[in-house]
Amino acid sequence: MTATASPVRPGWSRSAGLRVETEAHGALRALALGDIVVNLFVANALEGGPANLALRRHHGDTTAATVLLGPRSPTRWQADPQAGRLDGIGQWDTLRYRVALRLAADAPAWFWHLQVENTGREPVRIDAMAWQDLALTTDAALRLNEYYVSQYIDHTPLVHPQRGVVLAARQNQPVGARHPWCLVGSLNRSVAYATDALQVYGRAARAGAPPPCLAEGLPSQRLQHEHAMAALQDAPCELAPGAVVDLGWFGRVVADHPAATSEADLALVDETLALPEARTPVWGDLAGAEPAAPNLFSASPLLASLPLFDAMLDARFGTARRHVERDDLGCVLSFFHGPDAHVVLRDKELAVLRPHGQILRTGTHREPDERALTSTVWMGGVFHSMLTQGHVSINRCLSTVRSYLGLFRSHGLRVFVEGEGGGWQLLDQPSAFEMRPDVCTWIYRHAAGEIEVASRAHSDPHALDLDIRFVSGAAARCLVVLHVALDGDDGRSPARPQARLEDGAALIAPAPGSPLAQRFPQGHLRLEPGAGTTIEQLGGDELLFLDGQPRETAWLALRIAPAPSVRLTLRGRFVIDGPDVPAAAAADAARLGPLRELGVPAASPHDQRLAALADLMPWLEQNALVHYLAPRGLEQFSGGGWGTRDVSQGPVELLLAQGRHEAVRTLLLRVMKAQQPDGDWPQWFMFFERDAAIRAGDSHGDIVFWPLLALGQYLIASGDATVLDEPVPFHRARRPIRPAAAPSLWAHVLRALALIRRRTIAGTALPAYGHGDWNDALQPADPALREKLCSAWTATLHHQTLTTLARGLRGIGRGRAAIRLEREAEAVRRDFARLLIADGVLAGYARFDGSGEAQRIELLLHPRDRTTGVRYSLLAMIHAILENLFDPDQMREHLRLIA
């Protein structure tokens, strides 16, 4: 099977620069003004997207509703991109309707028109809603993380005399020097609104339920959250038999809105409504309109999972369950069992905002291995997603689940099972979800039996398994669906993926010329069937659409013959060769043992807390290793690099605690190799050699200290004097250097120390602030502050770095170098006490003006102090922490020792 050309989706631009692209079923794929993208999520051919129109019919206390866009709507569509028209027609109950999307020719505005006719014999009461998800940023920023983009959008409801509530949204995170802005309103009169998809779809979508707002209406409350949306609800109207009503909504984009939203912006409502496209369109003949093609994701039901009761849980997991969480009725929600397993039941998944998920990583190594695979799995039937080999952002094979509200079910790897009547059912929310550090298991108890699915990470060789086992009931045919994302766009490519069967295995390759194909010309993802597993058919999206016709989208499907147990092994064939990485003798050898082994008496009042901490330890370690070796998060869709500060802290301390000195040595050499010739490090950098040119262009003022501190800690723990003589080149993007000519690691240390000495406040030994300190939110807007401001936190780090490195050097016989560092540390301590403490209170920051005897110092508290009157100091922070851990007498003793 090879890639073929994709049909052109309906899409057009008008002279004002607004561009729209829709799917064949009318859902909005793209809405943009130049480089400013309006919509937050990209609709797809199988599901549509969160933007939609809804028509509601009220009868007494009941409300029925239908959406008008997407594959689940009754709308038939006809598009004319050349004329800039998208028109639909449909019949729902006794209501015949027409819908049209128009772009303005003379302004960056769009209009949805909706005409509804009552074809029944009785009057009806109706209203309508419009939902538009909002991003207002560039595509590059948007695809990094929709949640982050949403958090910076300010939503302001305004009231127009005739049109009711209109919603204005301003992107407060600058796009270059611009602040994009958008206004959404009704062509009639809106009486209710919402500003986030959480208010529209709720958590019900995660269980496959319709949006609750269809029955309840919109809440008319502003929510600044993570799924930005402008949702409006029109006032209801009565339709007599045969009557027709014209409804609709408008949107207007402003590329730059420097000021915050105000009442003055209401003038733009009247200006937009004066455009000719705001008038009811001339409805043409839509005889050629076509209905949306149904597909498995839009037409197939979710497998209805049944609850597991106490006796069933006992039979499966044993009775020795720990930290059991129950609801108000006494039903189990979650618990721990065994050495490192956590189980979550369906009711808890549907009750919490954040769904349960895990990142699986292959390998027991403690040093970077580019051959390792990483996959994100989710309780809601996502058995693998964002599958990568090596670089965990660039080398992507499967798409990412981009919303925790259940807005999309077709992302990643999903599984349908064939029912007794021949129809397909999607494995979605299970009865229970069991998580271990290297395997996750989904348990589906259903009316006809029980199905168990497991996703497992292997280490020798690197591989990820997908196991489907029919525990009880008849074995069924399975359809494994993959949303392929090999071409650098997280699955948005309209092209059919390149795939073929070879020796019974499925091979999936990136499209020729794509970024991944250029990186790995022979690279591919391989899915190998296990014993007793037969791939009956490998196909594209024609296996998903009920009419069997291909749409040339980025989905592949594998139809698996019925068997009691099915296994697919996923292997990355992009990075094949690489340096051997020492593996642990056993996976458990690297884990910190339970804290009970430290000899805590069973009668100790801290026993229960320490036991709980012991249950967390495998997960804390697993999370730490993901952050270190496969840097990404459940909701962080990009990554793959090391933060210089981050990797010099947690990973170094974890590995030293585990006695993994060789791994720390390797880490230090990689960090030193990223050092710039001027002695500084970038804020972050890529740690695999092929990606070395990808790195930050600057760094905060504290970054230069962290590698030196880590080196000092390593020398103290290992006594390894040879590391200082290791040849390590400085980072040079275009001029590779021969290893034999590379300077020693000690030369790197001297270069960094020289830079630290140059970056002090004039007349003091204290470090200048530079581009900031650990608090990334407090970067100086005034460039002059980089030289005049000093952070007490960075000064503390400065002192710790010098003393720790000095101690490490003394331990390996380099006393002369240690003496100089100790003298410098004493100078920092002296100036710290002299200049940063006033009346016994440590300042957060100090601003220095002048020099020498004329030096004027202004001590600054943390910004929090100016609003609450609470003094900010290091001791106050420690006090707050200790207050939660110890009784008052213990706390005072700890404070005395610290002071």
Side-chain angles (χ1 to χ4, degrees), residues 792-820:
W793 183 89
T794 306
T796 306
L797 175 64
H798 186 179
H799 183 270
Q800 182 186 5
T801 299
L802 294 174
T803 55
T804 304
L805 185 56
R807 181 183 166 195
L809 292 172
R810 280 196 177 277
I812 60 171
R814 295 208 179 197
R816 177 177 292 182
I819 289 173
R820 181 175 183 183

Side-chain angles (χ1 to χ4, degrees), residues 358-376:
Q358 184 177 334
I359 297 175
L360 297 175
R361 180 186 66 88
T362 67
T364 58
H365 53 278
R366 295 298 183 270
E367 300 175 19
D369 186 347
E370 200 175 8
R371 295 169 294 186
L373 297 168
T374 311
S375 176
T376 301

Side-chain angles (χ1 to χ4, degrees), residues 728-781:
V728 182
F730 287 96
H731 173 77
R732 300 174 188 271
R734 290 187 173 86
R735 290 194 298 165
I737 191 169
R738 291 180 293 105
S744 67
L745 186 143
W746 179 243
H748 287 252
V749 174
L750 295 177
R751 196 77 61 91
L753 290 171
L755 180 66
I756 289 171
R757 294 174 188 126
R758 294 196 302 271
R759 286 182 172 176
T760 54
I761 298 288
T764 79
L766 300 175
Y769 192 60
H771 287 280
D773 61 12
W774 66 277
N775 189 337
D776 292 349
L778 291 177
Q779 298 175 37

